[in-house]
Amino acid sequence: MNKVKAAVFASGTGSNFDAIIGRSNLACEIVVLICDKPGAPVIEKAISSGIQTLVLNPKAFVSKQEYETKILHFLRKMDVEWIFLAGYMRLIGPTLLAAYEDRIINTHPSLLPAFPGKDAISQAIQAGVKVTGVTIHFVDEGMDTGPIIAQRALEVLEDDTEATLKVRIQDVEHELYPEVINRLVRG
Ligand code: GRF
């Protein structure tokens, strides 16, 4: 039986992309990587895994709408039903939100609504919190504001730096995100 098709949107390293495509019993097929940063390491990861890539520079478009319309045509052509954001450093606009209502998911390295936006891990260290974690949520027009699907907490250790905490947070993400994807896709 053919699996439901999905896209990952990423801008950077791609460790979550790797965790998703590497999950042995993933309930969907990742058919394309959408990347907004030409040269980002995640692109190589997709290519070496035989996954199609669409790399676009948003600055080359006159508007966000035009940029997202280009992506939307591509996703439709590939029968993509779900979008998973994995370190995609850009807000999703009305064009994609309308086309994929309740079908766009994100992972964020904090217990939302605490520490939204960039640098969530360093924000947590700065704030001196003893517990932080990972949130998987539906995407809306805001910055990390959509309905929460799952969260996992972890302790911030006395001697944690941003780097050491990031390693543990990402270990949790790499397990939790594919798990949640499977639950959602299987309904
Ligand atoms: C992840 O920690 C994710 O939560 C955040 O950006 C990071 C991306 O890391 N939104 P990677 O590119 O998947 O390694």
Side-chain angles (χ1 to χ4, degrees):
M1 203 181 74
N2 280 344
K3 285 184 175 175
V4 166
K5 295 184 169 65
V8 172
F9 284 36
S11 310
T13 314
S15 70
N16 281 281
F17 172 80
D18 264 348
I20 294 167
I21 64 164
R23 175 84 175 205
S24 56
N25 57 347
L26 197 70
C28 53
E29 185 191 357
I30 305 300
V31 292
V32 61
L33 167 76
I34 307 288
C35 182
D36 63 334
K37 288 264 159 57
V42 67
I43 299 166
E44 232 0 274
K45 291 183 171 157
I47 292 170
S48 63
S49 308
I51 293 174
Q52 206 162 327
T53 60
L54 178 65
V55 182
L56 298 172
N57 178 359
K59 292 199 181 103
F61 293 82
V62 293
S63 65
K64 185 165 195 144
Q65 188 191 353
E66 198 191 89
Y67 166 70
E68 289 199 341
T69 300
K70 168 97 183 176
I71 294 175
L72 186 55
H73 283 149
F74 198 82
L75 297 178
R76 290 213 162 119
K77 211 171 67 193
M78 302 212 56
D79 291 327
V80 164
E81 292 187 38
W82 289 88
I83 295 174
F84 306 125
L85 309 187
Y88 183 66
M89 305 307 283
R90 194 167 288 281
L91 287 178
I92 300 293
T95 306
L96 285 171
L97 284 172
Y100 284 90
E101 206 185 340
D102 296 333
R103 293 276 175 143
I104 310 179
I105 315 297
N106 183 40
T107 176
H108 184 78
S110 76
L111 293 176
L112 290 171
F115 314 127
K118 275 192 208 164
D119 308 323
I121 299 172
S122 82
Q123 287 183 58
I125 297 267
Q126 298 288 320
V129 294
K130 301 296 177 205
V131 175
T132 185
V134 171
T135 303
I136 313 292
H137 65 97
F138 289 107
V139 172
D140 65 11
E141 63 290 343
M143 173 89 82
D144 305 317
T145 51
I148 291 170
I149 303 165
Q151 289 187 309
R152 202 164 283 172
L154 61 94
E155 207 182 326
V156 181
L157 305 176
E158 218 43 68
D159 57 352
D160 257 331
T161 61
E162 188 182 336
T164 59
L165 184 56
K166 181 176 173 186
V167 170
R168 296 205 314 289
I169 286 194
Q170 290 208 323
D171 282 348
V172 172
E173 280 189 311
H174 297 162
E175 196 184 301
L176 184 62
Y177 201 9
E179 215 174 279
V180 171
I181 288 172
N182 274 354
R183 259 201 280 146
L184 289 168
V185 171
R186 291 188 179 128

